Amino acid sequence: MTSTPVPADLLFGSNLVAMVSPMKPDGSIDSAAVTSLVEHLLSTGCDGIVVNGTTGESATLSDAEAMELIRTVKAQVQGQAKVIAGVGTYDTKATIAKAREAEAAGADALLLVTPYYNRPTQAGVVAHSRAVADSTGLPIMLYDVPARTGLALAASTIVELAAHPRIQAIKDAKGDLFEAMTVMARTGLAYYSGIDELNLPYLASGATGVVSVVGNVVADRNEELIRAVRKHDLDRAQEVAAALIPLTDAIMRTSSGAIMAKAALTELGVIPSAAVRMPLLESPDEDLRKLRAALLTIATPVP
């Protein structure tokens, strides 16, 4: 008997946020601020929270901190949103260990970035991804972000990996819309926009949802965008997307998404500190001025 596939919305959500990791000025994790941020995300319509991703400064989190973040977020969401844990590294053995630890900590799904720095072949990426998928019972979202990893997933690699029963989605931060549409047509893989600047064209091309950095601030606007596209209301979708341009520009096209999302959340009073860990530095004044102006544009609903 063949089981009926579970819709991607139920496994990962559709309006996902790549959550920042709130920190105190001394760089330690601020658990109270994590609680405040999760409450904010849930209240603004987020149905999937990516913990320990790039925006969460995963590269500078200890394993203990990463697992504690998963447990904290999982306990707080109480089933209102899926918790997707970033576990990818450039070491297959270490990634498998992280995947198992994340599963034990309560993650609902895993985000698996393409191995970085050592730049394996496409066959190596397939072997790595399958080994991780075989080590866990959780659904997996691949993460294709060549600007950070130095290695793009080939379309043929994505199609091959889509045959694995636990590899069920991809966060696409590559920006090749034609390739995305081609792979969507050839597989049942759920696609998620991993580029805030291109959320509308990805959704219009058939993407299931978004994994958004800007969503830390305006998950409600992303929810409206997704809803408009699903209703085939292109005019409304374009209005919502256009209204988000100043904020998306300020967060994604200045210093760094993690830096600017934290700055925005601090400006809004959601978290008390915009602290980041070196080598990241907090926003310079010129970026903050641009951000503050952009935040004024979201103070009122889209007409």
Side-chain angles (χ1 to χ4, degrees), residues 6 20 76 86 91 102 133 170 173 190 214 226 237 268 276 297:
V6 179
V20 301
Q76 190 177 350
D91 176 355
I170 182 166
V214 178
I226 293 166
L268 295 174
V276 290
T297 68

Side-chain angles (χ1 to χ4, degrees), residues 1 19 40 73 85 91 100 102 112 127 133 141 211 215 239 253 257 268 270 280 282:
M1 179 181 293
M19 191 186 84
H40 163 74
V73 174
D91 176 355
R100 289 172 173 166
L112 181 62
M141 178 185 291
V211 180
E239 289 173 353
R253 300 226 166 181
L268 295 174
V270 176
L280 300 185
E282 290 187 42

Side-chain angles (χ1 to χ4, degrees), residues 172-185 191-195 197-207:
D172 185 346
K174 183 158 53 185
D176 187 334
L177 284 164
F178 183 71
E179 179 183 282
M181 289 188 294
T182 301
V183 175
M184 280 188 268
Y191 257 72
Y192 289 81
S193 170
I195 305 177
E197 299 95 312
L198 297 178
N199 282 345
L200 175 54
Y202 266 96
L203 290 167
S205 298

Side-chain angles (χ1 to χ4, degrees), residues 201-236:
Y202 266 96
L203 290 167
S205 298
T208 298
V210 302
V211 180
S212 173
V213 178
V214 178
N216 278 282
V217 182
V218 286
D220 51 348
R221 298 292 178 89
N222 284 344
E223 182 182 31
E224 189 173 2
L225 177 64
I226 293 166
R227 186 167 56 247
V229 173
R230 288 184 173 181
K231 289 181 177 179
H232 308 291
D233 188 348
L234 183 57
D235 288 343
R236 182 58 180 167

Side-chain angles (χ1 to χ4, degrees), residues 115-156:
Y116 44 89
Y117 189 71
N118 46 17
R119 299 188 68 180
T121 63
Q122 293 293 312
V125 173
V126 170
H128 168 86
S129 303
R130 284 177 172 166
V132 177
D134 287 341
S135 74
T136 177
L138 296 181
I140 288 176
M141 178 185 291
L142 302 173
Y143 183 15
D144 190 7
V145 56
R148 291 184 180 275
T149 65
L151 178 67
L153 289 175
S156 58

